[in-house]
């Protein structure tokens, strides 16, 4: 969108104010936008496969509009290339149609992220510890209630925590997958990780760091201690 905005500025400067020698610069910038759009189409499709209705419907509309915009820009680029990089009103109109479309597509993309929360960190509210009530060691479950390598979900003041026992050690993570909110307590434990049951992201049990996507953000983790038969947890980050 940034590259294509520059195209609009250069074209208008050439057509309205008669500035010379902007054709090649406008063409190169236009091409850069098309190349970037092709990458965005691929990554957008990968994201789209991991969402549910109504995000699927809005996502495919968003994609269709942006693909059409890319086609208009590509046609404008082709015509400029074959006309010695001249900026003609027709070429500008094609690019302007594409710009209007990508603006509408951008609006839908913003709606997906900021209204529906698609592909955001589902645990962002824990940032800086402000979203956790467990700032000191607090008992949340009896040690004997935990089975080996079998995750359990516990809640403290509405805060979802996934705890899992391995030998005498207990690990604790936020029970909400950062990718799309999947229930980690229903995931599979293996090789020091927990695998989300929805889209198979993997997180390290001891740090919450992403070991395999599609998740890109870590899940919050807790320090644990066992005292008097109780598992105590304290929010770390």
């Amino acid at each position: 969108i940034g590259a294509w905005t520059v195209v609009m500025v250069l074209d208008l400067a050439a057509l309205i104010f008669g500035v010379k020698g902007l054709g090649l610069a406008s063409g190169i910038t236009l091409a850069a936008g098309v190349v970037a759009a092709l990458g965005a189409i691929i990554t957008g499709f990968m994201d789209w496969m991991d969402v549910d209705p109504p995000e699927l419907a809005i996502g495919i509309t968003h994609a269709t509009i942006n693909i059409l915009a890319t086609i208009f820009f590509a046609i404008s680029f082709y015509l400029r290339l074959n006309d010695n990089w001249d900026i003609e009103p027709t070429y500008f109109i094609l690019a302007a149609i594409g710009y209007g479309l990508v603006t509408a597509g951008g609006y839908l993309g913003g709606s997906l992220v900021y209204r529906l929360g698609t592909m955001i960190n589902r645990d962002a509210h824990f940032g800086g510890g402000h979203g956790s009530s467990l700032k000191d060691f607090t008992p949340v479950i009896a040690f004997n209630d935990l089975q080996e390598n079998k995750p359990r979900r516990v809640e403290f003041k509405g805060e979802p925590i996934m705890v899992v026992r391995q030998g005498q050690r207990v690990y604790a993570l936020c029970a909400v997958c950062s990718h799309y909110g999947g229930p980690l307590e229903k995931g599979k434990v293996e090789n020091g990780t927990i695998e989300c049951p929805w889209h198979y992201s993997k997180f390290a049990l001891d740090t919450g760091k992403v070991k395999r996507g599609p998740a890109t953000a870590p899940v919050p983790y807790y320090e644990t201690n066992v005292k008097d038969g109780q598992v105590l947890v304290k929010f770390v980050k």
Side-chain angles (χ1 to χ4, degrees):
I1 292 176
W4 289 337
T5 299
V6 173
V7 171
M8 294 293 98
V9 172
L10 294 176
D11 283 4
L12 288 172
L15 293 172
I16 296 177
F17 301 105
V19 180
K20 303 296 184 182
L22 297 180
L24 180 59
S26 182
I28 292 174
T29 310
L30 195 159
V34 171
V35 171
L38 294 176
I41 289 169
I42 295 171
T43 57
F45 178 70
M46 299 303 293
D47 283 347
W48 180 79
M49 292 193 300
D50 281 337
V51 299
D52 299 312
E55 293 96 326
L56 283 173
I58 297 176
I60 198 65
T61 305
H62 163 78
T64 301
I65 291 173
N66 285 344
I67 289 171
L68 286 174
T70 304
I71 291 172
F72 273 98
F73 278 110
I75 294 172
S76 180
F77 172 79
Y78 177 79
L79 294 174
R80 295 164 194 248
L81 176 64
N82 287 277
D83 196 15
N84 199 29
W85 302 114
D86 281 345
I87 299 177
E88 298 291 338
T90 302
Y91 311 158
F92 169 74
I93 290 172
L94 288 168
I97 293 173
Y99 194 74
L101 287 169
V102 81
T103 300
Y107 174 82
L108 290 178
S111 181
L112 282 168
V113 173
Y114 294 104
R115 185 169 65 86
L116 298 178
T118 306
M119 295 302 161
I120 66 168
N121 180 2
R122 300 291 167 147
D123 302 315
H125 60 285
F126 280 103
H130 301 300
S132 176
S133 301
L134 294 163
K135 297 178 182 179
D136 297 304
F137 278 111
T138 305
V140 293
I141 191 171
F143 181 78
N144 290 334
D145 287 343
L146 297 177
Q147 300 180 34
E148 183 78 8
N149 283 324
K150 185 174 178 61
R152 284 280 302 271
R153 181 187 180 110
V154 297
E155 293 199 6
F156 180 81
K157 295 184 178 180
E159 187 170 336
I161 307 164
M162 186 279 300
V163 290
V164 60
R165 170 185 173 184
Q166 290 188 333
Q168 295 302 304
R169 183 169 182 180
V170 178
Y171 298 96
L173 300 176
C174 177
V176 178
C177 177
S178 62
H179 170 240
Y180 206 62
L184 290 184
E185 76 278 2
K186 296 182 180 180
K188 179 181 178 182
V189 175
E190 60 179 6
N191 299 323
T193 66
I194 181 77
E195 181 183 76
C196 179
W198 286 6
H199 303 114
Y200 312 111
S201 296
K202 282 188 176 183
F203 304 92
L205 288 174
D206 57 346
T207 63
K209 291 182 178 179
V210 178
K211 293 298 183 180
R212 186 180 71 193
T216 59
V219 294
Y221 75 99
Y222 302 80
E223 187 178 348
T224 65
N225 196 1
V226 179
K227 184 178 181 180
D228 298 328
Q230 295 290 313
V231 176
L232 287 69
V233 301
K234 176 185 178 182
F235 182 81
V236 180
K237 67 177 180 179

